Amino acid sequence: MKLNIEGLLVYFPYDYIYPEQYSYMLELKRTLDAKGHGVLEMPSGTGKTISLLSLIVAYQKAFPLDVTKLIYCSRTVPEIEKVVEELRKLMEFYAKETGEVNNFLALALSSRKNLCIHPEVSSLRFGKEVDGKCHSLTASYIRAQRHSNPDQPVCRFYEEFDAVGRQVPLPAGIYNLDDLKDFGRRKGWCPYYLARYSILHANIVVYSYHYLLDPKIADLVSKELAKKSVVVFDEAHNIDNVCIDSMSVNITRRTLDRCQSNVETLQHTIQKIKDTDAAKLREEYRRLVEGLKEANVARETDVYLANPVLPDEILQEAVPGSIRTAEHFLGFLRRFLEYLKSRLRVHHVVQESAPQFLKDIFEKVCIDRKPLRFCAERLQSLLRTLEIADIADFSAVTLISNFATLVSTYSLGFTIIIEPFDDRTPTIANPVLHFSCMDPSIAIKPVFQRFQSVVITSGTLSPLDIYPKILDFRPVTMASFTMTLARTCLCPLIVGRGNDQVALSSKFETREDFAVIRNYGNLLLEMSAIVPDGIVAFFTSYVYMENIVASWYEQGILENIQRNKLIFIETQDAAETSMALEKYQEACENGRGAILLSVARGKVSEGIDFVHHFGRAVIMFGVPYVYTQSRILKARLEYLRDQFQIRENDFLTFDAMRHAAQCVGRAIRGKTDYGLMIFADKRYARADKRGKLPRWIQEHISDGSLNLTVDETVQLSKHFLRQMAQPFRQVKPPDRRRVSLRVTSPRLLSLCRRTSWVCLC
Amino acid sequence: MASLSEEVLLVVKKVRQRKQDGTLYLMAERIAWGPEGKDRFTVSHPYSDIRCQKISPDGKAKVQLQLVLHTGESTTFHFANESTALKDREAAKELLQQLLPKFKKKANKELEEKNRMLQEDPVLFQLYKDLVVSQVISAEEFWANRLGGLNNSEPAPCSNKQEVGISGAFLADIRPQTDGCNGLRYNLTTDIIESIFRTYPAVKQKYSENVPHSLTEKEFWTRFFQSHYFHRDRINTGTQDIFSECAKQDEKGLMSLVNKGVKNPLVDLLSLEDKTLDEGYGIKQALPSTSNTNKTVKESSNAAIIKRFNHHSAMVLAAGSRKNEVPADQASETSSTDGNSRDSDFFQPPVKKVCVFTVKLQEAIEYEDLQRESKQKTVALNLKKSDRYAHGPVPLQSQKYTTSQDIINAVNCIQHEMAHYKPNLTQVMSSTAASSAIAALSPGGVLMQGGAQQAINQMVPSDIQGELKHLYVAAGELLRHFWSCFPVNTSFLEDKLTGHLEEMLQTAYSKFHIWQTRRMMRKT
């Protein structure tokens, strides 16, 4: 159908539209009109992605000069593929309705592992290996060497792409990863580099967060993306953690050892080059004296996306003399390394700020702040000059130099914690230096500054106002949409007590309490008897789950559950869990029914959907608070309090509730779906917890379902399931439509809909 | 009659039926009885119609044999030959005893099939109720031309029976009981043993290796329950235990399952993340790689329990579907061996996996409730002169009405206009105005009052519509029977036509009449 969104003609590839989709588009359009940022929450399964795509594509078609590109960031590979498929649907609809040939170029970009077509390289299992191998075949000097030595292996796909691939742009169309590979195979071009090159002129790019948020990758891939782009972060409820992760560094003794050997190798290579090709080193020296002017010019003219690891100040200056020659720099690195080693020899936990660290390092080994800042840049230059084949080998020294740059650049927003041993195993020395970022806005700041509109959206962003605070930006629109339902297809229940009136809670004091564990077991047992097909249960942490499973086993509860359903359990091994997941789905599929025991914040809770019969009930055992004793977390909480005036408890609850919402939201993936959401902890009944759940869940929690016993829960669930199991008759105004169809053409109909969508939906 | 050529298995003379003397014939497929002196049967029952036979008690004066049919009717034969009555009956009974079971299956199948058809097809069921239950036509006639196609095409699912799966809790069902002197007694049934064997092939192998030459069956199971294998939460399996090998094999099996990877990429956690952080970055510290050393015994036993449950469930699941899966497994194995010669399949992407993926993706992005519902397939009415249909054969008058040509022209005109319509999106009417306009244009709205065509199905309540529909369908069915008699080339058809069909139509008509008058009564 066609829609009129405040004067913008939007093609929407379905015959009907949910009201919330319309409102969503409205808000989105306002955001784009204002050239500002937005925070939009809409439940999963209400067609968020297609609304987004429809509107932005329409906007791009209507105002091709105002919005040149859509950068759609999602989290996982399947999600990326999904977005591309929805886009394909939209574009097919466009072609059908307008009769024009599609002139949009849209493509997905993923890592080499998912795009490589080189027979040897693509057979490697791990992404890092693929990257390393690829680099060793395509690095510029390797290819240069081939001129003198034809036996040098290179990648023929890259060669072909390099020779002719850039001359003609990728033809317009929608490319998912497989399409890119097919195209690459046909042409004999490397799909990865083709994609990386093509995103510069593509109308729509779909890729993972990391390509924008991780400075190391963003610098390579997304640096030159046009300023007039709209950036969308989908499933963005965890975006702060992604930002923080990309800026944090952990240094262990092993890192230092490997770094040491890296430095040795570098030393060795320098010596060799000095003997054979001293001119090269001199050239590098000259370049360093000239400084990073180029980069500076580029940034000032706003050609590139800024890199948070490359702070503004250092662009204005040349690399300091003390680290300009290669040997001096190596010496400098050695000293820094020795210093870090000495710091790791502590026997008690040390926590300090970046300035304290800098002061200490100056006192101990006389390293100044300035050369430290240039460390990352200087090392890159050196690695380039020395023509290091396998960058992956030098990850340790790169890590250390990045750390040096970060610690000397940001005096605020980071903390250094040195722990001599793991808290759980105090007898084993395993010193770690955590350099942890506490301010997610540092990593995302360049994105907000550079792109005209950034939209943060997800099914669970409540409470909305916290995201602008912690990401430090000012949105022009903030909105939360609820789900209009033809039937109440979700049923949130809060179980506060067992049948014996024991309060159910996963709080620390009662964690080991057998009565609680037994009641939790009873709840699962009872539910397993009445819920059809699949049940997913989430625990607050892996350790907690292990303990509970063990004691359920001892009490014989699991045996009884097995009478009703098969049991699968998430493990810490991803491959094993994948297997369990597949078997779980198989068991749901063939009617046997199964239970999946899983962990909040785990991979399953974040990336796997349990549609329809794969998840008829989700049980959340306990409130998934983060492990509060961690020093890093404590430091972050303190920082949040000082900088953003967010109270510790508010943040912890917010964090726990967003994960709980994520977990229970896994079961409802659309309006035709239905599922029970069981919160098994009495603390959920409190207003401060409940109030932080997304609106679309909160709405359906009635006062009567706040503090239920297991038996009451079973009764309510039975009732709900019986209702839901009735065939779903869609409530549409059929007769009216049929008549109008008979007398007029579909076009008139679409006109009618356009002008009066409300009465038809 | 044609059926006379059938093989006659037994002839019993002097059998009375309804106080008439006659002869009883037992033939290959039916039992028949004809009165004396006539060459046609007045009673004839195919064996498949017979539910059971009953005989009169020995002491009774009359020696009788009663046949009870599936329809509930019964036929009684009185063996009247005084000297051999008992013997005759015995012979008939014996033969029937042999014959009936052969047909019983078929009959049951047919019955089941009929039952199924009625259950699955509500229209048919209604028809059945209208025609058969209200005794307009007989059940046989009703089924006569429906089951024809049915008998030929044997229902496929019956041939391969579904394998019975294994209860997930079969191990839990073996409840140990104390025998009073510090011992435990396990009760094993063959079902449980079968379950164990099917779920754990390794145990079966051990069993066939050891029983009976080195161990008795009892000893084997005693050891099984004593073993650490059964109590898997204890991890340190002793070496002397014969089941320690099984544990290892299970471990291997689990590993191979895990290594095989998953077919559905949507649940493949390994390839979910696009780009992982490099080593050393990120908040979450990497778990120590040498995990075994610093794990406590309790933790690792917990891990073993978890592993065990995953394995057990996977095995139970596999045991249920093992038979069907074998070919698929082989296929995947051959393809994996192909994987070694990589250059050969380099240009052939793993098609199957991609297929699954795209299908799953398509499923995931569908919004079925946003799509227009697919309309039911109907047969288009092809009219040459539609105004004849709409108005009926009316005498030509000078009365003025719009011809269909005018209407078609008008519609075309509107269509043309709509096709070239360019909306001015910034200046549209408000949605309230638009919705009121639509309401006015909708059936029943202000502007659509005159529209006659919409009225009938909205004016008449749905229950009346339903009843009328039933009558209509029933009458249609009768008419079908009626027309199928033409051309009348056999006497049977003639009989049918002149005899009861007319009667039936009469019944149907009167039924309709009754309904009509009842409706009218109710209205007034």
Side-chain angles (χ1 to χ4, degrees):
Chain A
M1 66 193 284
K2 291 186 239 168
L3 292 156
N4 176 8
I5 308 279
E6 289 190 343
L8 179 72
L9 176 64
V10 175
Y11 284 81
F12 188 72
Y14 290 96
D15 294 314
Y16 300 87
I17 186 169
Y18 300 134
E20 58 267 34
Q21 284 180 317
Y22 181 83
S23 329
Y24 188 87
M25 288 191 202
L26 221 57
E27 287 296 332
L28 193 58
K29 171 151 191 300
R30 287 175 190 158
T31 317
L32 297 190
D33 282 342
K35 295 196 192 323
H37 311 313
V39 181
L40 301 172
E41 179 188 59
M42 182 153 97
S44 46
T46 49
K48 193 173 19 161
T49 309
I50 193 65
S51 324
L52 240 160
L53 291 173
S54 303
L55 188 101
I56 296 180
V57 167
Y59 206 93
Q60 266 180 292
K61 295 225 177 200
F63 311 103
L65 294 178
D66 286 351
V67 172
T68 54
K69 197 191 288 288
L70 162 64
I71 305 172
Y72 196 106
C73 301
S74 200
R75 259 183 341 179
T76 62
V77 178
E79 267 160 28
I80 289 171
E81 300 263 25
K82 259 189 236 170
V83 174
V84 178
E85 287 315 309
E86 299 220 28
L87 194 59
R88 196 190 304 279
K89 192 168 191 171
L90 177 65
M91 286 307 178
E92 274 164 13
F93 183 71
Y94 258 98
K96 206 181 91 196
E97 284 290 307
T98 59
E100 290 161 15
V101 181
N102 171 35
N103 56 353
F104 254 51
L105 174 63
L107 73 154
L109 174 65
S110 180
S111 56
R112 288 182 178 85
K113 181 175 168 265
N114 294 325
L115 278 176
C116 185
I117 54 170
H118 189 278
E120 272 170 50
V121 181
S122 60
S123 65
L124 295 170
R125 257 190 98 180
F126 296 103
K128 229 169 273 170
E129 291 171 359
V130 176
D131 289 351
K133 186 84 181 162
C134 179
H135 194 265
S136 72
L137 291 176
T138 56
S140 56
Y141 56 90
I142 297 272
R143 300 173 55 226
Q145 278 173 23
R146 189 177 158 83
H147 290 299
S148 50
N149 175 17
D151 291 340
Q152 181 77 34
V154 291
C155 173
R156 66 172 192 270
F157 298 102
Y158 183 76
E159 292 300 317
E160 192 68 20
F161 167 73
D162 198 48
V164 289
R166 286 193 185 86
Q167 289 157 10
V168 194
L170 191 64
I174 315 293
Y175 296 88
N176 64 17
L177 300 179
D178 284 325
D179 296 337
L180 282 171
K181 278 200 219 172
D182 286 345
F183 186 82
R185 281 200 191 93
R186 268 207 312 279
K187 295 271 184 179
W189 296 348
C190 171
Y192 174 72
Y193 282 99
L194 177 68
R196 259 181 63 176
Y197 173 71
S198 298
I199 61 169
L200 297 181
H201 59 262
N203 301 86
I204 298 172
V205 181
V206 186
Y207 59 28
S208 135
Y209 282 10
H210 297 282
Y211 289 95
L212 266 188
L213 293 183
D214 190 338
K216 300 174 286 297
I217 313 171
D219 206 34
L220 286 173
V221 179
S222 312
K223 198 159 75 173
E224 293 171 60
L225 291 181
K227 219 175 121 54
K228 286 181 175 172
S229 304
V230 175
V231 178
V232 173
F233 288 104
D234 196 1
E235 303 285 324
H237 47 270
N238 248 346
I239 196 167
D240 53 328
N241 289 335
V242 177
C243 293
I244 282 177
D245 271 342
S246 69
M247 298 292 279
S248 297
V249 175
N250 298 309
I251 297 169
T252 59
R253 215 171 247 168
R254 198 163 142 257
T255 325
L256 292 181
D257 291 343
R258 281 179 44 217
C259 188
Q260 184 78 45
S261 71
N262 283 346
V263 172
E264 298 306 325
T265 324
L266 284 177
Q267 177 74 45
H268 203 68
T269 328
I270 289 172
Q271 208 55 49
K272 231 170 40 192
I273 287 197
K274 226 175 180 180
D275 296 341
T276 55
D277 195 1
K280 213 182 248 173
L281 286 176
R282 274 202 299 282
E283 166 63 18
E284 190 205 13
Y285 187 87
R286 196 191 55 73
R287 221 172 41 224
L288 291 175
V289 174
E290 269 185 24
L292 301 150
K293 271 197 195 114
E294 246 174 77
N296 188 30
V297 171
R299 181 169 294 183
E300 273 177 357
T301 51
D302 212 4
V303 181
Y304 292 150
L305 176 71
N307 181 357
V309 188
L310 197 69
D312 273 338
E313 299 91 56
I314 72 165
L315 294 176
Q316 329 256 322
E317 304 167 43
V319 172
S322 57
I323 58 170
R324 222 174 277 167
T325 66
E327 287 103 331
H328 286 171
F329 178 59
L330 280 193
F332 173 85
L333 271 183
R334 278 215 187 88
R335 245 185 315 153
F336 185 57
L337 215 56
E338 283 311 316
Y339 172 74
L340 288 179
K341 274 186 188 163
S342 75
R343 290 303 303 265
L344 280 188
R345 260 178 243 126
V346 287
H347 291 290
H348 54 277
V349 178
V350 179
Q351 176 170 4
E352 60 189 20
S353 64
Q356 277 172 316
F357 182 83
L358 289 178
K359 183 161 169 280
D360 190 60
I361 197 172
F362 183 71
E363 277 168 6
K364 295 260 173 62
V365 284
C366 293
I367 287 182
D368 222 350
R369 185 179 171 199
K370 198 171 164 195
L372 266 183
R373 245 191 210 175
F374 285 86
C375 221
E377 201 53 28
R378 180 68 189 87
L379 181 73
Q380 289 309 318
S381 159
L382 185 66
L383 291 177
R384 270 199 302 273
T385 316
L386 298 183
E387 301 181 345
I388 302 295
D390 198 351
I391 293 282
D393 283 350
F394 286 85
S395 61
V397 72
T398 319
L399 180 80
I400 298 289
S401 63
N402 276 343
F403 164 63
T405 304
L406 284 174
V407 77
S408 51
T409 306
Y410 297 99
S411 54
L412 212 60
F414 287 87
T415 185
I416 296 167
I417 296 169
I418 307 172
E419 286 176 328
F421 45 74
D422 196 342
D423 273 345
R424 277 165 293 182
T425 51
T427 47
I428 301 156
N430 180 27
V432 189
L433 184 149
H434 300 286
F435 176 67
S436 82
C437 176
M438 298 181 297
D439 190 349
S441 66
I442 292 172
I444 206 171
K445 197 171 162 206
V447 177
F448 281 124
Q449 278 179 346
R450 179 168 174 78
F451 298 110
Q452 72 180 29
S453 283
V454 178
V455 178
I456 290 185
T457 186
S458 171
T460 52
L461 281 178
S462 296
L464 286 180
D465 53 342
I466 208 160
Y467 284 91
K469 258 191 206 166
I470 57 178
L471 297 179
D472 193 23
F473 71 106
R474 229 175 262 161
V476 291
T477 47
M478 274 209 283
S480 169
F481 304 98
T482 178
M483 203 170 182
T484 52
L485 294 172
R487 53 172 190 178
T488 325
C489 68
L490 66 163
C491 176
L493 301 171
I494 297 173
V495 189
R497 296 165 290 151
N499 286 338
D500 46 5
Q501 303 301 323
V502 170
L504 292 184
S505 174
S506 69
K507 67 179 177 202
F508 190 73
E509 296 81 51
T510 60
R511 208 159 246 217
E512 308 282 311
D513 190 347
F514 272 109
V516 174
I517 294 177
R518 193 189 58 237
N519 274 313
Y520 273 161
N522 267 339
L523 176 64
L524 187 64
L525 176 59
E526 300 274 331
M527 295 313 286
S528 77
I530 61 159
V531 176
D533 300 322
I535 300 178
V536 191
F538 288 100
F539 294 86
T540 53
S541 74
Y542 195 79
V543 183
Y544 186 53
M545 177 173 83
E546 265 193 349
N547 285 335
I548 285 203
V549 166
S551 65
W552 280 353
Y553 175 73
E554 278 155 23
Q555 296 172 9
I557 290 172
L558 285 181
E559 282 181 2
N560 288 326
I561 291 173
Q562 273 185 321
R563 282 178 217 278
N564 301 326
K565 288 182 192 305
L566 293 179
I567 299 176
F568 294 96
I569 306 171
E570 180 179 357
T571 67
Q572 276 165 327
D573 178 46
E576 222 174 298
T577 309
S578 306
M579 194 272 294
L581 258 175
E582 199 184 40
K583 295 280 170 200
Y584 168 80
Q585 293 202 338
E586 200 184 318
C588 293
E589 203 76 82
N590 75 8
R592 195 181 258 282
I595 291 179
L596 183 73
L597 304 182
S598 182
V599 176
R601 295 165 193 280
K603 277 196 168 142
V604 173
S605 71
E606 287 286 324
I608 308 292
D609 289 344
F610 296 98
V611 289
H612 294 291
H613 57 287
F614 292 135
R616 281 296 178 223
V618 181
I619 306 176
M620 184 73 235
F621 288 115
V623 184
Y625 278 113
V626 65
Y627 175 59
T628 44
Q629 298 307 304
S630 137
R631 290 183 187 86
I632 299 173
L633 179 75
K634 279 183 182 159
R636 188 175 170 202
L637 290 176
E638 214 166 282
Y639 182 81
L640 284 173
R641 194 188 54 210
D642 295 347
Q643 296 297 317
F644 303 119
Q645 286 75 49
I646 299 172
R647 281 187 301 145
E648 278 115 331
N649 258 333
D650 280 351
F651 182 78
L652 284 176
T653 315
F654 150 75
D655 186 62
M657 294 316 282
R658 70 172 160 182
H659 280 102
Q662 263 305 301
C663 290
V664 295
R666 293 282 121 194
I668 305 276
R669 282 322 202 191
K671 299 190 177 187
T672 50
D673 202 355
Y674 66 89
L676 286 160
M677 300 172 163
I678 296 173
F679 298 92
D681 194 309
K682 72 168 184 284
R683 289 175 289 173
Y684 282 110
R686 287 191 211 151
D688 65 317
K689 307 277 185 310
R690 209 163 19 116
K692 289 195 169 71
L693 284 171
R695 231 177 90 196
W696 58 278
I697 297 179
Q698 252 186 76
E699 275 180 346
H700 296 280
I701 304 180
S702 61
D703 285 342
S705 58
L706 281 186
N707 190 17
L708 303 168
T709 65
V710 173
D711 273 348
E712 286 162 350
T713 313
V714 169
Q715 287 312 318
L716 285 173
S717 308
K718 265 187 188 165
H719 179 70
F720 171 77
L721 289 168
R722 205 174 303 136
Q723 253 182 345
M724 286 297 120
Q726 306 308 316
F728 181 32
R729 268 199 59 245
Q730 286 170 33
V731 190
K732 282 175 191 171
D735 284 324
R736 199 189 282 176
R737 164 118 347 119
R738 228 166 272 150
V739 171
S740 53
L741 259 177
R742 207 182 292 158
V743 292
T744 68
S745 72
R747 276 194 176 253
L748 177 60
L749 189 68
S750 67
L751 170 78
C752 299
R753 288 212 200 108
R754 221 181 299 147
T755 46
S756 70
W757 62 273
V758 182
C759 81
L760 289 168
C761 299
Chain B
M1 270 178 120
S3 49
L4 275 178
S5 60
E6 282 173 295
E7 188 190 354
V8 179
L9 301 174
L10 183 73
V11 182
V12 185
K13 290 200 171 151
K14 286 201 178 167
V15 177
R16 306 186 75 168
Q17 208 257 338
R18 293 207 181 148
K19 311 227 161 111
Q20 223 180 343
D21 275 326
T23 314
L24 183 70
Y25 297 88
L26 268 79
M27 285 172 287
E29 288 185 344
R30 59 189 182 134
I31 185 168
W33 178 88
E36 205 144 329
K38 286 184 186 165
D39 62 341
R40 51 178 291 193
F41 302 128
T42 50
V43 175
S44 167
H45 296 305
Y47 293 133
S48 52
D49 281 358
I50 299 170
R51 191 196 289 160
C52 63
Q53 55 169 334
K54 290 177 181 168
I55 51 170
S56 53
D58 279 344
K60 272 254 177 111
K62 280 183 181 174
V63 182
Q64 283 177 326
L65 181 109
Q66 189 183 39
L67 298 176
V68 182
L69 304 184
H70 287 299
T71 49
E73 300 164 36
S74 62
T75 315
T76 313
F77 299 109
H78 179 199
F79 292 83
N81 194 342
E82 280 167 29
S83 55
T84 58
L86 215 56
K87 225 176 77 191
D88 285 347
R89 198 201 47 194
E90 284 307 300
K93 190 193 90 182
E94 290 284 315
L95 194 58
L96 274 178
Q97 238 167 12
Q98 287 167 22
L99 288 170
L100 283 184
K102 279 192 213 162
F103 291 91
K104 194 154 233 164
K105 234 183 197 166
K106 199 175 152 205
N108 279 346
K109 222 183 253 172
E110 240 176 63
L111 262 187
E112 262 172 40
E113 192 57 30
K114 283 176 187 173
N115 207 358
R116 190 186 60 81
M117 276 174 79
L118 287 182
Q119 270 172 359
E120 281 176 5
D121 192 347
V123 178
L124 193 70
F125 186 56
Q126 188 58 45
L127 202 58
Y128 187 83
K129 273 205 290 196
D130 287 343
L131 292 177
V132 181
V133 179
S134 60
Q135 292 182 331
V136 177
I137 63 174
S138 68
E140 277 160 60
E141 261 176 303
F142 180 78
W143 288 112
N145 42 12
R146 276 181 204 283
L147 282 174
L150 190 131
N151 280 338
N152 302 337
S153 59
E154 279 290 309
C158 293
S159 56
N160 53 345
K161 257 201 330 200
Q162 202 180 1
E163 196 80 4
V164 178
I166 296 172
S167 155
F170 68 85
L171 282 180
D173 286 335
I174 322 168
R175 291 247 165 244
Q177 298 162 328
T178 47
D179 61 357
C181 45
N182 262 344
L184 285 174
R185 177 189 291 275
Y186 289 94
N187 287 326
L188 276 177
T189 63
T190 44
D191 271 354
I192 294 174
I193 293 176
E194 159 102 38
S195 299
I196 293 175
F197 284 164
R198 273 172 71 190
T199 319
Y200 298 108
V203 177
K204 185 175 188 180
Q205 198 191 334
K206 279 281 157 215
Y207 181 84
S208 53
E209 275 170 20
N210 291 311
V211 179
H213 33 273
S214 60
L215 291 168
T216 66
E217 186 163 2
K218 196 178 165 193
E219 274 175 340
F220 179 83
W221 290 116
T222 314
R223 290 227 193 153
F224 177 76
F225 289 116
Q226 283 169 348
S227 72
H228 296 290
Y229 182 66
F230 180 60
H231 303 280
R232 199 86 65 77
D233 48 330
R234 303 173 204 161
I235 15 163
N236 36 358
T237 42
T239 41
Q240 79 285 4
D241 189 352
I242 58 165
F243 292 103
S244 60
E245 210 174 296
C246 293
K248 272 178 209 144
Q249 274 191 25
D250 279 356
E251 190 85 354
K252 251 198 235 156
L254 189 65
M255 284 312 287
S256 74
L257 268 182
V258 168
N259 287 334
K260 223 196 262 170
V262 290
K263 291 188 202 99
N264 178 0
L266 285 183
V267 298
D268 190 357
L269 293 172
L270 287 173
S271 61
L272 213 56
E273 291 276 326
D274 185 24
K275 197 100 187 178
T276 47
L277 289 167
D278 289 339
E279 198 182 340
Y281 295 94
I283 288 270
K284 281 168 207 149
Q285 55 215 66
L287 288 160
S289 54
T290 52
S291 53
N292 286 335
T293 49
N294 53 13
K295 255 191 180 170
T296 62
V297 175
K298 184 158 186 283
E299 270 173 351
S300 49
S301 96
N302 288 352
I305 292 173
I306 284 175
K307 253 198 178 143
R308 174 187 177 177
F309 271 105
N310 278 340
H311 181 246
H312 176 80
S313 300
M315 291 308 279
V316 167
L317 201 58
S321 55
R322 193 160 283 152
K323 288 215 170 110
N324 313 336
E325 245 185 24
V326 171
D329 264 1
Q330 278 168 351
S332 71
E333 247 158 45
T334 47
S335 70
S336 70
T337 47
D338 277 352
N340 294 335
S341 53
R342 274 190 195 99
D343 273 314
S344 64
D345 67 345
F346 152 54
F347 279 105
Q348 292 154 356
V351 182
K352 204 174 163 194
K353 191 163 184 170
V354 171
C355 259
V356 171
F357 192 29
T358 45
V359 168
K360 296 258 175 195
L361 272 186
Q362 287 299 337
E363 268 172 28
I365 64 168
E366 274 296 92
Y367 291 98
E368 51 190 35
D369 48 341
L370 285 185
Q371 254 128 6
R372 190 175 302 158
E373 63 249 83
S374 52
K375 290 190 204 89
Q376 281 185 343
K377 266 200 177 168
T378 50
V379 180
L381 190 59
N382 193 8
L383 295 175
K384 286 205 177 107
K385 281 189 178 168
S386 55
D387 43 338
R388 282 276 305 254
Y389 180 73
H391 301 282
V394 281
L396 265 177
Q397 288 170 357
S398 57
Q399 186 186 349
K400 226 180 146 189
Y401 64 87
T402 41
T403 63
S404 60
Q405 194 55 45
D406 290 341
I407 297 174
I408 291 170
N409 285 344
V411 168
N412 279 344
C413 191
I414 292 177
Q415 257 173 357
H416 184 76
E417 226 162 79
M418 291 318 302
H420 296 276
Y421 172 73
K422 274 269 177 302
N424 185 3
L425 290 173
T426 44
Q427 289 178 330
V428 291
M429 28 174 175
S430 70
S431 56
T432 44
S435 63
S436 66
I438 288 222
L441 279 166
S442 301
V446 185
L447 293 174
M448 295 291 278
Q449 290 294 16
Q453 59 191 110
Q454 99 279 4
I456 196 77
N457 68 343
Q458 285 175 346
M459 268 158 42
V460 182
S462 61
D463 54 330
I464 299 182
Q465 280 185 43
E467 281 172 29
L468 188 61
K469 210 194 253 169
H470 293 152
L471 285 171
Y472 173 76
V473 172
E477 176 71 14
L478 284 179
L479 279 176
R480 201 168 64 81
H481 278 276
F482 178 77
W483 286 115
S484 69
C485 293
F486 290 97
V488 191
N489 44 19
T490 62
S491 59
F492 173 70
L493 284 179
E494 201 181 325
D495 269 7
K496 185 174 176 184
L497 211 54
T498 51
H500 54 284
L501 254 182
E502 210 176 330
E503 209 174 289
M504 281 177 204
L505 285 171
Q506 200 58 49
T507 331
Y509 179 73
S510 59
K511 238 177 117 179
F512 172 70
H513 200 73
I514 293 167
W515 177 78
Q516 204 178 15
T517 45
R518 208 180 60 220
R519 274 286 151 211
M520 298 301 266
M521 295 275 283
R522 202 171 293 173
K523 241 181 188 172
T524 55

